[in-house]
CSV table of all heavy atoms in Angstrom, one decimal:
chain,number,residue,atom,x,y,z
A,66,GLY,N,-11.6,116.6,-139.2
A,66,GLY,CA,-12.1,117.2,-140.5
A,66,GLY,C,-11.2,118.4,-140.8
A,66,GLY,O,-10.9,119.2,-140.0
A,67,ALA,N,-10.9,118.4,-142.1
A,67,ALA,CA,-9.9,119.5,-142.5
A,67,ALA,C,-10.7,120.8,-142.7
A,67,ALA,O,-10.9,121.2,-143.9
A,67,ALA,CB,-9.1,119.0,-143.7
A,68,THR,N,-11.2,121.4,-141.6
A,68,THR,CA,-11.8,122.7,-141.8
A,68,THR,C,-10.7,123.8,-142.1
A,68,THR,O,-9.6,123.6,-141.6
A,68,THR,CB,-12.6,123.0,-140.6
A,68,THR,OG1,-11.7,123.2,-139.5
A,68,THR,CG2,-13.7,122.0,-140.3
A,69,PRO,N,-11.1,124.9,-142.6
A,69,PRO,CA,-10.1,125.9,-142.8
A,69,PRO,C,-9.5,126.4,-141.5
A,69,PRO,O,-8.3,126.6,-141.4
A,69,PRO,CB,-10.9,127.0,-143.4
A,69,PRO,CG,-12.0,126.4,-144.1
A,69,PRO,CD,-12.4,125.2,-143.3
A,70,ALA,N,-10.3,126.5,-140.4
A,70,ALA,CA,-9.7,126.9,-139.1
A,70,ALA,C,-8.7,125.9,-138.6
A,70,ALA,O,-7.6,126.3,-138.1
A,70,ALA,CB,-10.8,127.1,-138.1
A,71,ALA,N,-9.0,124.6,-138.8
A,71,ALA,CA,-8.0,123.6,-138.4
A,71,ALA,C,-6.7,123.7,-139.2
A,71,ALA,O,-5.7,123.5,-138.6
A,71,ALA,CB,-8.7,122.2,-138.5
A,72,LEU,N,-6.9,123.9,-140.5
A,72,LEU,CA,-5.7,123.9,-141.3
A,72,LEU,C,-4.9,125.1,-140.9
A,72,LEU,O,-3.6,125.0,-141.0
A,72,LEU,CB,-6.1,124.0,-142.8
A,72,LEU,CG,-6.8,122.7,-143.3
A,72,LEU,CD1,-7.2,122.9,-144.8
A,72,LEU,CD2,-5.8,121.5,-143.2
A,73,VAL,N,-5.4,126.2,-140.6
A,73,VAL,CA,-4.7,127.5,-140.2
A,73,VAL,C,-4.0,127.1,-138.8
A,73,VAL,O,-2.8,127.5,-138.7
A,73,VAL,CB,-5.6,128.6,-140.1
A,73,VAL,CG1,-4.9,129.8,-139.4
A,73,VAL,CG2,-6.1,129.1,-141.4
A,74,ALA,N,-4.7,126.5,-137.9
A,74,ALA,CA,-4.0,126.1,-136.6
A,74,ALA,C,-2.8,125.2,-136.9
A,74,ALA,O,-1.8,125.3,-136.3
A,74,ALA,CB,-5.1,125.5,-135.7
A,75,VAL,N,-3.0,124.2,-137.8
A,75,VAL,CA,-1.9,123.3,-138.1
A,75,VAL,C,-0.7,124.0,-138.7
A,75,VAL,O,0.4,123.8,-138.3
A,75,VAL,CB,-2.4,122.2,-139.0
A,75,VAL,CG1,-1.2,121.4,-139.6
A,75,VAL,CG2,-3.3,121.2,-138.3
A,76,ALA,N,-1.0,124.9,-139.6
A,76,ALA,CA,0.1,125.7,-140.3
A,76,ALA,C,0.8,126.6,-139.1
A,76,ALA,O,2.0,126.7,-139.2
A,76,ALA,CB,-0.5,126.6,-141.4
A,77,LEU,N,0.1,127.2,-138.3
A,77,LEU,CA,0.6,128.0,-137.2
A,77,LEU,C,1.4,127.2,-136.2
A,77,LEU,O,2.5,127.6,-135.8
A,77,LEU,CB,-0.4,128.9,-136.5
A,77,LEU,CG,-1.1,130.0,-137.4
A,77,LEU,CD1,-2.2,130.6,-136.7
A,77,LEU,CD2,0.0,131.0,-137.9
A,78,SER,N,0.9,126.0,-136.0
A,78,SER,CA,1.6,125.1,-135.1
A,78,SER,C,3.0,124.7,-135.7
A,78,SER,O,4.0,124.6,-135.1
A,78,SER,CB,0.8,123.8,-134.8
A,78,SER,OG,-0.3,124.1,-134.1
A,79,ALA,N,2.9,124.4,-137.0
A,79,ALA,CA,4.2,124.1,-137.7
A,79,ALA,C,5.2,125.2,-137.8
A,79,ALA,O,6.3,125.0,-137.5
A,79,ALA,CB,3.9,123.7,-139.2
A,80,LEU,N,4.7,126.4,-137.9
A,80,LEU,CA,5.6,127.7,-137.8
A,80,LEU,C,6.2,127.7,-136.4
A,80,LEU,O,7.4,128.0,-136.3
A,80,LEU,CB,4.8,128.9,-138.2
A,80,LEU,CG,4.6,129.1,-139.7
A,80,LEU,CD1,3.8,130.4,-139.9
A,80,LEU,CD2,6.0,129.3,-140.4
A,81,ALA,N,5.4,127.6,-135.4
A,81,ALA,CA,5.9,127.7,-134.0
A,81,ALA,C,6.9,126.6,-133.7
A,81,ALA,O,7.9,126.8,-133.1
A,81,ALA,CB,4.7,127.6,-133.0
A,82,TRP,N,6.6,125.3,-134.3
A,82,TRP,CA,7.5,124.2,-134.1
A,82,TRP,C,8.8,124.5,-134.7
A,82,TRP,O,9.9,124.3,-134.2
A,82,TRP,CB,6.9,122.9,-134.6
A,82,TRP,CG,7.9,121.8,-134.6
A,82,TRP,CD1,8.3,121.1,-133.5
A,82,TRP,CD2,8.5,121.2,-135.7
A,82,TRP,NE1,9.1,120.1,-134.0
A,82,TRP,CE2,9.3,120.2,-135.3
A,82,TRP,CE3,8.5,121.5,-137.1
A,82,TRP,CZ2,10.1,119.4,-136.1
A,82,TRP,CZ3,9.3,120.8,-137.9
A,82,TRP,CH2,10.1,119.7,-137.4
A,83,LEU,N,8.8,125.0,-136.0
A,83,LEU,CA,10.0,125.4,-136.7
A,83,LEU,C,10.8,126.4,-136.0
A,83,LEU,O,12.1,126.4,-135.9
A,83,LEU,CB,9.7,125.8,-138.1
A,83,LEU,CG,9.3,124.7,-139.1
A,83,LEU,CD1,8.9,125.3,-140.4
A,83,LEU,CD2,10.5,123.7,-139.3
A,84,GLY,N,10.2,127.5,-135.4
A,84,GLY,CA,10.8,128.4,-134.6
A,84,GLY,C,11.5,127.9,-133.5
A,84,GLY,O,12.7,128.2,-133.2
A,85,PHE,N,10.8,127.0,-132.7
A,85,PHE,CA,11.4,126.4,-131.5
A,85,PHE,C,12.6,125.5,-132.0
A,85,PHE,O,13.7,125.5,-131.3
A,85,PHE,CB,10.4,125.6,-130.7
A,85,PHE,CG,11.0,125.0,-129.5
A,85,PHE,CD1,11.0,125.7,-128.3
A,85,PHE,CD2,11.5,123.7,-129.5
A,85,PHE,CE1,11.6,125.2,-127.2
A,85,PHE,CE2,12.1,123.3,-128.3
A,85,PHE,CZ,12.1,124.0,-127.2
A,86,LEU,N,12.5,124.8,-133.1
A,86,LEU,CA,13.5,124.0,-133.6
A,86,LEU,C,14.8,124.8,-133.9
A,86,LEU,O,15.9,124.3,-133.6
A,86,LEU,CB,13.0,123.2,-134.7
A,86,LEU,CG,13.8,122.0,-135.2
A,86,LEU,CD1,13.9,120.9,-134.2
A,86,LEU,CD2,13.3,121.5,-136.6
A,87,LEU,N,14.6,125.9,-134.5
A,87,LEU,CA,15.7,126.7,-134.8
A,87,LEU,C,16.5,127.2,-133.6
A,87,LEU,O,17.7,127.1,-133.5
A,87,LEU,CB,15.2,127.9,-135.6
A,87,LEU,CG,16.3,128.9,-136.1
A,87,LEU,CD1,17.3,128.3,-137.0
A,87,LEU,CD2,15.7,130.2,-136.7
A,88,VAL,N,15.7,127.7,-132.6
A,88,VAL,CA,16.3,128.2,-131.4
A,88,VAL,C,17.0,127.0,-130.6
A,88,VAL,O,18.2,127.2,-130.2
A,88,VAL,CB,15.2,128.7,-130.4
A,88,VAL,CG1,15.8,129.0,-129.0
A,88,VAL,CG2,14.7,130.0,-131.0
A,89,ALA,N,16.4,125.8,-130.6
A,89,ALA,CA,17.0,124.6,-129.9
A,89,ALA,C,18.3,124.2,-130.6
A,89,ALA,O,19.3,123.9,-130.0
A,89,ALA,CB,15.9,123.5,-129.8
A,90,HIS,N,18.2,124.2,-132.0
A,90,HIS,CA,19.4,123.8,-132.7
A,90,HIS,C,20.5,124.7,-132.5
A,90,HIS,O,21.7,124.3,-132.2
A,90,HIS,CB,19.1,123.8,-134.2
A,90,HIS,CG,20.3,123.5,-135.0
A,90,HIS,ND1,20.8,122.2,-135.1
A,90,HIS,CD2,21.0,124.2,-135.9
A,90,HIS,CE1,21.9,122.2,-135.8
A,90,HIS,NE2,22.0,123.5,-136.3
A,91,ARG,N,20.3,126.0,-132.4
A,91,ARG,CA,21.4,127.0,-132.2
A,91,ARG,C,21.9,126.8,-130.7
A,91,ARG,O,23.1,126.9,-130.5
A,91,ARG,CB,20.8,128.4,-132.3
A,91,ARG,CG,20.7,128.8,-133.8
A,91,ARG,CD,20.2,130.2,-133.9
A,91,ARG,NE,20.0,130.6,-135.3
A,91,ARG,CZ,19.5,131.6,-135.7
A,91,ARG,NH1,19.0,132.6,-134.8
A,91,ARG,NH2,19.4,131.9,-137.0
A,92,ARG,N,21.0,126.6,-129.8
A,92,ARG,CA,21.5,126.3,-128.4
A,92,ARG,C,22.3,125.1,-128.2
A,92,ARG,O,23.3,125.1,-127.6
A,92,ARG,CB,20.4,126.4,-127.4
A,92,ARG,CG,20.7,126.4,-126.0
A,92,ARG,CD,21.5,127.7,-125.7
A,92,ARG,NE,22.1,127.6,-124.4
A,92,ARG,CZ,23.2,128.3,-124.0
A,92,ARG,NH1,23.7,129.1,-124.8
A,92,ARG,NH2,23.6,128.1,-122.8
A,93,VAL,N,21.9,124.0,-128.8
A,93,VAL,CA,22.6,122.7,-128.8
A,93,VAL,C,24.0,122.9,-129.4
A,93,VAL,O,24.9,122.3,-128.9
A,93,VAL,CB,21.8,121.5,-129.4
A,93,VAL,CG1,22.6,120.3,-129.6
A,93,VAL,CG2,20.6,121.3,-128.5
A,94,SER,N,24.0,123.6,-130.5
A,94,SER,CA,25.3,123.8,-131.2
A,94,SER,C,26.3,124.6,-130.2
A,94,SER,O,27.5,124.3,-130.2
A,94,SER,CB,25.1,124.6,-132.4
A,94,SER,OG,24.4,123.8,-133.3
A,95,VAL,N,25.8,125.6,-129.6
A,95,VAL,CA,26.7,126.4,-128.7
A,95,VAL,C,27.1,125.6,-127.5
A,95,VAL,O,28.2,125.8,-126.9
A,95,VAL,CB,25.9,127.7,-128.2
A,95,VAL,CG1,26.6,128.3,-127.0
A,95,VAL,CG2,25.6,128.6,-129.4
A,96,LEU,N,26.3,124.6,-127.0
A,96,LEU,CA,26.7,123.8,-125.8
A,96,LEU,C,27.7,122.8,-126.1
A,96,LEU,O,28.1,122.0,-125.3
A,96,LEU,CB,25.4,123.1,-125.2
A,96,LEU,CG,24.5,124.1,-124.7
A,96,LEU,CD1,23.1,123.5,-124.3
A,96,LEU,CD2,25.1,124.7,-123.4
A,97,GLY,N,28.2,122.7,-127.4
A,97,GLY,CA,29.2,121.6,-127.7
A,97,GLY,C,30.7,122.0,-127.2
A,97,GLY,O,31.5,121.2,-127.4
A,98,VAL,N,30.8,123.1,-126.6
A,98,VAL,CA,32.2,123.5,-126.1
A,98,VAL,C,32.2,123.4,-124.6
A,98,VAL,O,31.2,123.3,-123.9
A,98,VAL,CB,32.6,124.9,-126.6
A,98,VAL,CG1,32.6,125.0,-128.1
A,98,VAL,CG2,31.6,126.0,-126.1
A,99,ALA,N,33.4,123.4,-124.1
A,99,ALA,CA,33.5,123.3,-122.6
A,99,ALA,C,33.0,124.5,-121.9
A,99,ALA,O,32.5,124.4,-120.7
A,99,ALA,CB,35.0,123.2,-122.2
A,100,ARG,N,33.1,125.7,-122.4
A,100,ARG,CA,32.6,126.9,-121.8
A,100,ARG,C,31.6,127.6,-122.7
A,100,ARG,O,31.9,128.6,-123.4
A,100,ARG,CB,33.7,127.8,-121.4
A,100,ARG,CG,34.7,127.3,-120.5
A,100,ARG,CD,35.8,128.3,-120.1
A,100,ARG,NE,35.9,128.3,-118.6
A,100,ARG,CZ,35.5,129.3,-117.8
A,100,ARG,NH1,34.9,130.3,-118.3
A,100,ARG,NH2,35.6,129.1,-116.5
A,101,PRO,N,30.4,127.2,-122.8
A,101,PRO,CA,29.4,127.7,-123.7
A,101,PRO,C,29.0,129.1,-123.2
A,101,PRO,O,29.1,129.5,-122.1
A,101,PRO,CB,28.2,126.7,-123.5
A,101,PRO,CG,28.4,126.1,-122.2
A,101,PRO,CD,29.8,126.0,-121.9
A,102,GLU,N,28.6,129.9,-124.3
A,102,GLU,CA,28.0,131.2,-124.0
A,102,GLU,C,26.7,131.1,-123.2
A,102,GLU,O,26.0,130.1,-123.3
A,102,GLU,CB,27.8,131.9,-125.2
A,102,GLU,CG,29.0,132.2,-126.1
A,102,GLU,CD,28.6,132.7,-127.5
A,102,GLU,OE1,27.4,133.2,-127.6
A,102,GLU,OE2,29.4,132.7,-128.4
A,103,GLN,N,26.4,132.2,-122.5
A,103,GLN,CA,25.1,132.2,-121.9
A,103,GLN,C,23.9,132.3,-122.9
A,103,GLN,O,24.1,132.8,-124.0
A,103,GLN,CB,25.0,133.4,-120.9
A,103,GLN,CG,25.8,133.3,-119.7
A,103,GLN,CD,25.6,134.5,-118.7
A,103,GLN,OE1,25.0,135.5,-119.1
A,103,GLN,NE2,26.1,134.3,-117.5
A,104,PHE,N,22.8,131.8,-122.5
A,104,PHE,CA,21.7,131.7,-123.4
A,104,PHE,C,21.2,133.3,-123.4
A,104,PHE,O,20.8,133.9,-122.4
A,104,PHE,CB,20.6,130.9,-122.8
A,104,PHE,CG,19.5,130.5,-123.8
A,104,PHE,CD1,19.7,130.6,-125.1
A,104,PHE,CD2,18.3,130.2,-123.2
A,104,PHE,CE1,18.7,130.3,-126.0
A,104,PHE,CE2,17.3,129.8,-124.1
A,104,PHE,CZ,17.4,129.8,-125.5
A,105,ALA,N,21.1,133.7,-124.6
A,105,ALA,CA,20.6,135.1,-124.8
A,105,ALA,C,19.2,135.3,-124.5
A,105,ALA,O,18.3,134.4,-124.7
A,105,ALA,CB,20.8,135.5,-126.3
A,106,PRO,N,18.8,136.4,-123.9
A,106,PRO,CA,17.4,136.7,-123.5
A,106,PRO,C,16.5,136.6,-124.7
A,106,PRO,O,15.4,136.1,-124.6
A,106,PRO,CB,17.4,138.0,-123.0
A,106,PRO,CG,18.8,138.3,-122.4
A,106,PRO,CD,19.6,137.5,-123.4
A,107,ARG,N,17.0,137.0,-125.9
A,107,ARG,CA,16.1,136.9,-127.1
A,107,ARG,C,15.8,135.5,-127.4
A,107,ARG,O,14.6,135.1,-127.9
A,107,ARG,CB,16.8,137.6,-128.2
A,107,ARG,CG,16.1,137.6,-129.5
A,107,ARG,CD,16.8,138.4,-130.6
A,107,ARG,NE,16.2,138.3,-131.9
A,107,ARG,CZ,16.7,138.7,-133.0
A,107,ARG,NH1,18.0,139.2,-133.1
A,107,ARG,NH2,16.0,138.5,-134.2
A,108,GLY,N,16.8,134.6,-127.4
A,108,GLY,CA,16.6,133.2,-127.6
A,108,GLY,C,15.6,132.6,-126.6
A,108,GLY,O,14.7,131.8,-127.0
Side-chain angles (χ1 to χ4, degrees):
T68 65
L72 293 177
V73 168
V75 168
L77 292 174
S78 294
L80 282 174
W82 174 75
L83 286 172
F85 186 84
L86 193 66
L87 179 65
V88 171
H90 176 72
R91 286 183 180 169
R92 188 60 189 157
V93 167
S94 297
V95 168
L96 290 171
V98 298
R100 297 182 133 256
E102 299 174 12
Q103 287 186 344
F104 195 27
R107 182 177 175 191

